[in-house]
Amino acid sequence: MMRQRRPPSDPARGGRVGLTVILGWPCLMLGIFMLVPFMLLIRVSLAPADVEQLWGQGVTLAAFGAMQQYGVMSAIGYSLVYALAIAALALCLAFPLTWFITGMTRRGQIGGLIFLLSTLALSDVLIAFSWQVMLARRQWIAQWLLATGLLGRSKSLVPGTGAVLYCLLYISLPFTVLLLYPALSRLDRSYLEAARPLGATPVRSFFTLVIPLARMPIMMAFARSSITTLGAYTGPLVLGRPENWPLSVIIGKVALSAQNMPLSAARALTLLLALTLVLIARRGRRVG
Amino acid sequence: MNTLTRAGRGLFLALLAVFLALPLVLVTGVSFNGKQMIPTSVGSWR
Protein backbone atom coordinates (compact mmCIF):
# COMPACT_ATOMS: atom_id res chain seq x y z
CA MET A 1 0.00 0.00 0.00
CA MET A 2 1.41 3.37 -0.99
CA ARG A 3 1.98 5.91 1.72
CA GLN A 4 0.78 9.36 0.92
CA ARG A 5 3.09 12.24 1.92
CA ARG A 6 1.42 14.83 4.08
CA PRO A 7 1.72 18.37 2.78
CA PRO A 8 3.64 20.69 5.12
CA SER A 9 1.43 22.65 7.48
CA ASP A 10 2.87 25.98 6.29
CA PRO A 11 4.33 25.90 2.76
CA ALA A 12 5.83 29.39 3.09
CA ARG A 13 7.67 28.42 6.29
CA GLY A 14 8.93 25.21 4.70
CA GLY A 15 10.22 27.20 1.73
CA ARG A 16 12.01 29.63 4.02
CA VAL A 17 13.69 26.80 5.94
CA GLY A 18 14.76 25.15 2.67
CA LEU A 19 16.14 28.43 1.35
CA THR A 20 18.02 29.05 4.60
CA VAL A 21 19.59 25.59 4.42
CA ILE A 22 20.50 26.01 0.74
CA LEU A 23 21.99 29.49 1.24
CA GLY A 24 23.50 28.64 4.63
CA TRP A 25 26.12 26.27 3.23
CA PRO A 26 27.71 28.71 0.73
CA CYS A 27 27.50 31.49 3.31
CA LEU A 28 29.32 29.27 5.82
CA MET A 29 31.99 28.38 3.27
CA LEU A 30 32.41 32.05 2.33
CA GLY A 31 32.74 32.90 6.00
CA ILE A 32 35.37 30.23 6.61
CA PHE A 33 37.44 30.61 3.45
CA MET A 34 37.13 34.36 2.82
CA LEU A 35 36.16 36.23 5.95
CA VAL A 36 38.44 34.39 8.40
CA PRO A 37 41.66 34.89 6.34
CA PHE A 38 40.63 38.50 5.70
CA MET A 39 40.15 39.17 9.42
CA LEU A 40 43.51 37.48 10.06
CA LEU A 41 45.09 39.75 7.43
CA ILE A 42 43.69 42.83 9.19
CA ARG A 43 44.86 41.54 12.57
CA VAL A 44 48.41 40.81 11.31
CA SER A 45 48.64 44.23 9.62
CA LEU A 46 47.93 45.88 12.99
CA ALA A 47 50.49 43.80 14.91
CA PRO A 48 54.09 44.83 15.63
CA ALA A 49 56.78 42.99 13.64
CA ASP A 50 58.35 39.98 15.34
CA VAL A 51 60.54 37.72 13.19
CA GLU A 52 60.58 34.86 15.70
CA GLN A 53 56.79 34.60 16.07
CA LEU A 54 55.81 35.92 12.59
CA TRP A 55 54.00 38.81 14.31
CA GLY A 56 54.00 40.23 17.83
CA GLN A 57 51.37 40.96 20.45
CA GLY A 58 49.57 44.27 20.71
CA VAL A 59 48.23 46.78 18.20
CA THR A 60 50.17 49.36 16.20
CA LEU A 61 49.78 51.28 12.94
CA ALA A 62 53.54 51.19 12.26
CA ALA A 63 53.12 48.91 9.19
CA PHE A 64 50.77 51.42 7.56
CA GLY A 65 53.18 54.24 8.37
CA ALA A 66 55.94 52.65 6.27
CA MET A 67 54.09 53.06 3.00
CA GLN A 68 56.66 55.37 1.43
CA GLN A 69 59.43 52.76 1.68
CA TYR A 70 60.63 50.67 -1.28
CA GLY A 71 58.50 52.62 -3.78
CA VAL A 72 55.18 51.18 -2.64
CA MET A 73 53.12 53.86 -4.37
CA SER A 74 54.79 53.25 -7.75
CA ALA A 75 54.35 49.50 -7.18
CA ILE A 76 50.60 50.05 -6.64
CA GLY A 77 50.57 52.04 -9.89
CA TYR A 78 52.33 49.22 -11.77
CA SER A 79 49.91 46.67 -10.27
CA LEU A 80 46.89 48.62 -11.50
CA VAL A 81 48.44 49.36 -14.91
CA TYR A 82 49.37 45.70 -15.45
CA ALA A 83 45.92 44.53 -14.29
CA LEU A 84 43.92 46.91 -16.47
CA ALA A 85 46.22 46.63 -19.50
CA ILE A 86 46.24 42.82 -19.45
CA ALA A 87 42.47 42.63 -18.95
CA ALA A 88 41.90 45.00 -21.91
CA LEU A 89 44.47 43.27 -24.16
CA ALA A 90 43.20 39.79 -23.30
CA LEU A 91 39.64 40.85 -24.05
CA CYS A 92 40.59 42.52 -27.36
CA LEU A 93 42.33 39.34 -28.52
CA ALA A 94 40.08 36.74 -26.89
CA PHE A 95 36.76 38.14 -28.09
CA PRO A 96 37.45 37.86 -31.86
CA LEU A 97 39.28 34.57 -31.25
CA THR A 98 36.25 33.11 -29.45
CA TRP A 99 33.95 34.49 -32.15
CA PHE A 100 36.00 32.74 -34.85
CA ILE A 101 36.15 29.50 -32.84
CA THR A 102 32.37 29.45 -32.34
CA GLY A 103 31.93 29.96 -36.10
CA MET A 104 33.98 26.84 -36.88
CA THR A 105 32.68 23.33 -37.39
CA ARG A 106 32.13 21.17 -34.31
CA ARG A 107 35.44 19.43 -34.90
CA GLY A 108 37.26 22.75 -35.30
CA GLN A 109 35.74 24.08 -32.09
CA ILE A 110 36.81 21.02 -30.12
CA GLY A 111 40.33 21.23 -31.58
CA GLY A 112 40.61 24.93 -30.77
CA LEU A 113 39.40 24.47 -27.20
CA ILE A 114 41.70 21.48 -26.62
CA PHE A 115 44.63 23.57 -27.85
CA LEU A 116 43.68 26.39 -25.49
CA LEU A 117 43.25 23.99 -22.60
CA SER A 118 46.65 22.43 -23.33
CA THR A 119 48.30 25.81 -22.69
CA LEU A 120 46.81 25.70 -19.20
CA ALA A 121 48.85 22.56 -18.53
CA LEU A 122 51.89 24.81 -18.11
CA SER A 123 52.26 26.37 -14.69
CA ASP A 124 52.96 30.10 -14.43
CA VAL A 125 56.53 29.25 -13.41
CA LEU A 126 57.12 27.28 -16.62
CA ILE A 127 55.47 30.00 -18.71
CA ALA A 128 57.66 32.69 -17.12
CA PHE A 129 60.86 30.73 -17.70
CA SER A 130 59.78 29.88 -21.27
CA TRP A 131 59.42 33.57 -22.08
CA GLN A 132 62.70 34.28 -20.34
CA VAL A 133 64.44 31.77 -22.60
CA MET A 134 62.65 32.88 -25.78
CA LEU A 135 63.32 36.58 -25.26
CA ALA A 136 66.99 36.03 -24.43
CA ARG A 137 69.67 37.72 -26.56
CA ARG A 138 70.78 34.59 -28.44
CA GLN A 139 67.28 33.34 -29.20
CA TRP A 140 65.52 33.78 -32.51
CA ILE A 141 63.06 36.52 -31.45
CA ALA A 142 65.84 38.97 -30.53
CA GLN A 143 67.89 37.86 -33.55
CA TRP A 144 64.93 38.34 -35.89
CA LEU A 145 64.21 41.82 -34.46
CA LEU A 146 67.89 42.66 -34.94
CA ALA A 147 67.85 41.39 -38.54
CA THR A 148 64.75 43.42 -39.39
CA GLY A 149 66.21 46.54 -37.82
CA LEU A 150 63.56 46.81 -35.10
CA LEU A 151 66.29 46.31 -32.50
CA GLY A 152 69.26 48.66 -32.67
CA ARG A 153 71.82 46.32 -31.12
CA SER A 154 71.94 42.74 -29.93
CA LYS A 155 70.43 42.61 -26.46
CA SER A 156 68.23 40.49 -24.25
CA LEU A 157 64.55 41.50 -24.12
CA VAL A 158 64.36 40.38 -20.50
CA PRO A 159 64.02 41.87 -17.97
CA GLY A 160 61.49 44.35 -19.33
CA THR A 161 57.88 45.48 -19.14
CA GLY A 162 57.11 43.94 -22.54
CA ALA A 163 58.23 40.50 -21.36
CA VAL A 164 56.00 40.80 -18.28
CA LEU A 165 53.03 41.75 -20.47
CA TYR A 166 53.60 38.79 -22.86
CA CYS A 167 53.74 36.37 -19.94
CA LEU A 168 50.66 37.76 -18.15
CA LEU A 169 48.73 37.91 -21.43
CA TYR A 170 49.64 34.29 -22.15
CA ILE A 171 48.24 33.26 -18.75
CA SER A 172 45.04 35.34 -19.08
CA LEU A 173 44.11 34.61 -22.70
CA PRO A 174 42.85 30.99 -22.37
CA PHE A 175 40.74 31.82 -19.31
CA THR A 176 39.18 34.80 -21.08
CA VAL A 177 38.30 32.64 -24.11
CA LEU A 178 36.81 29.95 -21.87
CA LEU A 179 34.67 32.55 -20.08
CA LEU A 180 33.40 34.05 -23.35
CA TYR A 181 32.87 30.76 -25.17
CA PRO A 182 29.50 29.66 -23.61
CA ALA A 183 27.83 33.03 -24.30
CA LEU A 184 29.16 33.38 -27.84
CA SER A 185 28.40 29.79 -28.80
CA ARG A 186 24.76 30.26 -27.68
CA LEU A 187 24.41 33.58 -29.48
CA ASP A 188 21.94 33.32 -32.33
CA ARG A 189 23.81 34.22 -35.54
CA SER A 190 20.54 34.75 -37.39
CA TYR A 191 20.50 38.26 -35.86
CA LEU A 192 23.48 39.09 -38.08
CA GLU A 193 21.76 37.67 -41.13
CA ALA A 194 18.64 39.68 -40.29
CA ALA A 195 20.71 42.88 -39.98
CA ARG A 196 22.34 42.41 -43.40
CA PRO A 197 19.27 43.27 -45.56
CA LEU A 198 18.78 46.35 -43.35
CA GLY A 199 22.13 47.69 -44.53
CA ALA A 200 24.41 46.68 -41.64
CA THR A 201 27.89 45.55 -42.65
CA PRO A 202 29.37 42.48 -40.87
CA VAL A 203 31.73 44.77 -38.89
CA ARG A 204 28.88 47.08 -37.88
CA SER A 205 26.68 44.12 -36.88
CA PHE A 206 29.57 42.77 -34.81
CA PHE A 207 29.97 46.01 -32.86
CA THR A 208 26.28 46.94 -32.54
CA LEU A 209 24.78 43.47 -32.02
CA VAL A 210 27.30 40.89 -30.85
CA ILE A 211 29.22 42.99 -28.34
CA PRO A 212 26.12 44.45 -26.58
CA LEU A 213 24.55 40.97 -26.39
CA ALA A 214 27.71 39.60 -24.76
CA ARG A 215 28.14 42.52 -22.35
CA MET A 216 27.86 40.50 -19.12
CA PRO A 217 30.43 37.81 -20.07
CA ILE A 218 32.73 40.59 -21.29
CA MET A 219 32.52 42.30 -17.91
CA MET A 220 33.06 39.00 -16.09
CA ALA A 221 36.10 38.17 -18.23
CA PHE A 222 37.54 41.65 -17.69
CA ALA A 223 37.06 41.39 -13.92
CA ARG A 224 38.59 37.91 -13.77
CA SER A 225 41.63 38.90 -15.81
CA SER A 226 42.29 42.09 -13.89
CA ILE A 227 41.88 40.48 -10.46
CA THR A 228 44.16 37.52 -11.21
CA THR A 229 46.76 39.79 -12.86
CA LEU A 230 46.71 42.00 -9.78
CA GLY A 231 48.01 39.05 -7.76
CA ALA A 232 50.51 37.84 -10.39
CA TYR A 233 53.85 37.04 -8.78
CA THR A 234 56.12 34.75 -10.81
CA GLY A 235 55.91 36.53 -14.19
CA PRO A 236 56.80 40.03 -12.93
CA LEU A 237 59.43 38.59 -10.55
CA VAL A 238 61.26 36.61 -13.26
CA LEU A 239 60.73 38.90 -16.26
CA GLY A 240 60.40 42.40 -14.80
CA ARG A 241 62.92 44.91 -13.55
CA PRO A 242 62.85 45.57 -9.78
CA GLU A 243 61.81 49.19 -10.38
CA ASN A 244 58.80 47.93 -12.40
CA TRP A 245 57.68 45.27 -9.96
CA PRO A 246 54.00 45.32 -8.99
CA LEU A 247 52.98 45.35 -5.35
CA SER A 248 52.35 41.57 -5.27
CA VAL A 249 56.09 40.95 -5.77
CA ILE A 250 57.00 43.54 -3.11
CA ILE A 251 54.55 41.84 -0.70
CA GLY A 252 56.17 38.46 -1.42
CA LYS A 253 59.67 39.90 -0.92
CA VAL A 254 58.70 41.56 2.37
CA ALA A 255 56.99 38.41 3.66
CA LEU A 256 59.52 35.80 2.49
CA SER A 257 62.85 37.63 2.51
CA ALA A 258 62.39 40.29 5.20
CA GLN A 259 60.06 38.04 7.26
CA ASN A 260 57.98 41.11 8.07
CA MET A 261 54.45 39.75 8.08
CA PRO A 262 52.68 42.90 9.43
CA LEU A 263 54.25 45.06 6.70
CA SER A 264 53.32 42.59 3.95
CA ALA A 265 49.75 42.30 5.34
CA ALA A 266 49.44 46.09 5.44
CA ARG A 267 50.57 46.27 1.80
CA ALA A 268 48.12 43.57 0.77
CA LEU A 269 45.34 45.60 2.37
CA THR A 270 46.58 48.72 0.58
CA LEU A 271 46.44 46.90 -2.76
CA LEU A 272 42.90 45.77 -1.96
CA LEU A 273 41.95 49.32 -1.03
CA ALA A 274 43.45 50.66 -4.29
CA LEU A 275 41.43 48.15 -6.34
CA THR A 276 38.26 49.01 -4.40
CA LEU A 277 38.82 52.73 -5.06
CA VAL A 278 39.30 52.06 -8.79
CA LEU A 279 36.08 50.03 -8.89
CA ILE A 280 34.16 52.71 -6.96
CA ALA A 281 35.50 55.42 -9.31
CA ARG A 282 34.51 53.35 -12.34
CA ARG A 283 31.02 52.72 -10.93
CA GLY A 284 30.62 56.39 -10.00
CA ARG A 285 31.59 57.42 -13.54
CA ARG A 286 29.09 54.93 -15.01
CA VAL A 287 26.28 56.12 -12.72
CA GLY A 288 27.19 59.79 -13.41
CA MET B 1 36.65 42.08 -49.66
CA ASN B 2 35.64 38.59 -48.67
CA THR B 3 39.10 37.27 -49.52
CA LEU B 4 40.69 40.09 -47.54
CA THR B 5 38.50 39.34 -44.52
CA ARG B 6 39.32 35.66 -44.77
CA ALA B 7 43.04 36.40 -45.08
CA GLY B 8 42.90 38.76 -42.09
CA ARG B 9 41.10 36.17 -40.00
CA GLY B 10 43.62 33.51 -41.02
CA LEU B 11 46.56 35.76 -40.16
CA PHE B 12 45.02 36.69 -36.79
CA LEU B 13 44.38 33.04 -35.90
CA ALA B 14 47.84 31.98 -37.09
CA LEU B 15 49.62 34.67 -35.07
CA LEU B 16 47.66 33.82 -31.94
CA ALA B 17 48.29 30.11 -32.45
CA VAL B 18 52.04 30.79 -32.71
CA PHE B 19 51.92 33.00 -29.61
CA LEU B 20 50.11 30.31 -27.63
CA ALA B 21 52.17 27.42 -29.00
CA LEU B 22 55.65 28.90 -28.41
CA PRO B 23 56.00 28.13 -24.66
CA LEU B 24 54.32 24.74 -25.17
CA VAL B 25 56.78 23.80 -27.93
CA LEU B 26 59.72 25.13 -25.94
CA VAL B 27 58.82 23.25 -22.75
CA THR B 28 58.13 20.04 -24.71
CA GLY B 29 61.35 20.42 -26.70
CA VAL B 30 63.45 21.21 -23.69
CA SER B 31 62.00 18.34 -21.69
CA PHE B 32 62.79 15.89 -24.52
CA ASN B 33 66.20 17.45 -25.03
CA GLY B 34 67.13 16.81 -21.41
CA LYS B 35 68.03 20.42 -20.62
CA GLN B 36 66.88 21.91 -17.37
CA MET B 37 64.73 25.01 -17.24
CA ILE B 38 65.58 26.00 -13.72
CA PRO B 39 66.76 29.55 -12.93
CA THR B 40 70.40 28.51 -12.49
CA SER B 41 70.59 27.24 -16.06
CA VAL B 42 68.81 30.18 -17.68
CA GLY B 43 72.00 32.26 -17.67
CA SER B 44 73.54 29.89 -20.18
CA TRP B 45 70.78 30.70 -22.70
CA ARG B 46 71.53 34.42 -22.75
Side-chain angles (χ1 to χ4, degrees):
Chain A
M1 199 172 172
M2 282 182 67
R3 287 176 62 188
Q4 283 189 342
R5 290 181 66 184
R6 288 176 61 193
S9 54
D10 184 0
R13 188 169 176 273
R16 274 200 303 272
V17 170
L19 196 67
T20 309
V21 171
I22 289 169
L23 289 179
W25 179 249
C27 286
L28 185 70
M29 289 296 110
L30 273 177
I32 292 172
F33 292 111
M34 200 198 79
L35 209 60
V36 172
F38 186 64
M39 297 310 285
L40 187 65
L41 191 72
I42 293 174
R43 171 67 192 101
V44 174
S45 70
L46 294 172
D50 188 343
V51 176
E52 287 180 0
Q53 299 174 354
L54 294 179
W55 64 87
Q57 300 295 318
V59 174
T60 173
L61 288 170
F64 288 95
M67 279 297 153
Q68 297 304 318
Q69 291 176 6
Y70 310 115
V72 173
M73 287 304 162
S74 75
I76 291 174
Y78 274 108
S79 291
L80 293 175
V81 166
Y82 282 139
L84 298 176
I86 289 299
L89 272 173
L91 207 54
C92 287
L93 289 174
F95 198 89
L97 177 63
T98 318
W99 180 248
F100 292 145
I101 290 175
T102 51
M104 290 176 179
T105 59
R106 191 81 188 150
R107 210 170 166 181
Q109 288 187 33
I110 292 170
L113 290 178
I114 288 175
F115 175 60
L116 277 166
L117 285 172
S118 67
T119 64
L120 298 177
L122 301 176
S123 69
D124 54 348
V125 177
L126 274 177
I127 293 168
F129 285 126
S130 299
W131 282 107
Q132 191 182 31
V133 169
M134 285 188 292
L135 297 172
R137 186 167 57 89
R138 290 182 193 169
Q139 294 303 308
W140 65 272
I141 295 179
Q143 293 299 319
W144 179 75
L145 289 174
L146 189 68
T148 52
L150 292 168
L151 213 60
R153 58 182 175 81
S154 178
K155 65 170 186 177
S156 175
L157 299 172
V158 280
T161 311
V164 177
L165 289 175
Y166 293 143
C167 177
L168 297 178
L169 184 63
Y170 188 89
I171 295 167
S172 273
L173 199 61
F175 288 109
T176 311
V177 171
L178 292 177
L179 269 177
L180 293 172
Y181 181 78
L184 290 188
S185 63
R186 278 200 306 267
L187 203 138
D188 193 351
R189 295 203 176 209
S190 61
Y191 290 145
L192 299 177
E193 289 166 17
R196 202 172 298 163
L198 299 172
T201 60
V203 175
R204 190 173 176 184
S205 306
F206 182 79
F207 283 104
T208 54
L209 275 174
V210 178
I211 290 180
L213 283 171
R215 201 177 60 217
M216 275 309 285
I218 287 174
M219 284 166 66
M220 277 168 58
F222 189 89
R224 201 219 70 89
S225 278
S226 53
I227 289 166
T228 48
T229 307
L230 207 64
Y233 178 76
T234 317
L237 177 72
V238 174
L239 301 168
R241 293 178 196 280
E243 61 267 27
N244 300 344
W245 274 344
L247 195 59
S248 51
V249 178
I250 308 277
I251 291 168
K253 286 277 174 194
V254 170
L256 300 173
S257 304
Q259 296 279 305
N260 193 337
M261 293 297 167
L263 192 56
S264 58
R267 281 172 185 177
L269 282 175
T270 311
L271 186 60
L272 203 64
L273 184 71
L275 180 68
T276 312
L277 287 175
V278 168
L279 289 176
I280 288 171
R282 196 168 169 270
R283 189 175 167 79
R285 204 175 57 186
R286 209 171 58 198
V287 170
Chain B
M1 185 64 192
N2 204 12
T3 314
L4 266 177
T5 312
R6 206 170 293 168
R9 185 174 63 184
L11 185 67
F12 174 77
L13 288 175
L15 285 175
L16 265 184
V18 169
F19 174 71
L20 289 169
L22 277 174
L24 267 177
V25 171
L26 183 86
V27 171
T28 314
V30 167
S31 60
F32 278 111
N33 209 11
K35 288 184 181 174
Q36 287 181 317
M37 267 187 59
I38 55 172
T40 49
S41 70
V42 165
S44 63
W45 291 82
R46 287 188 178 180

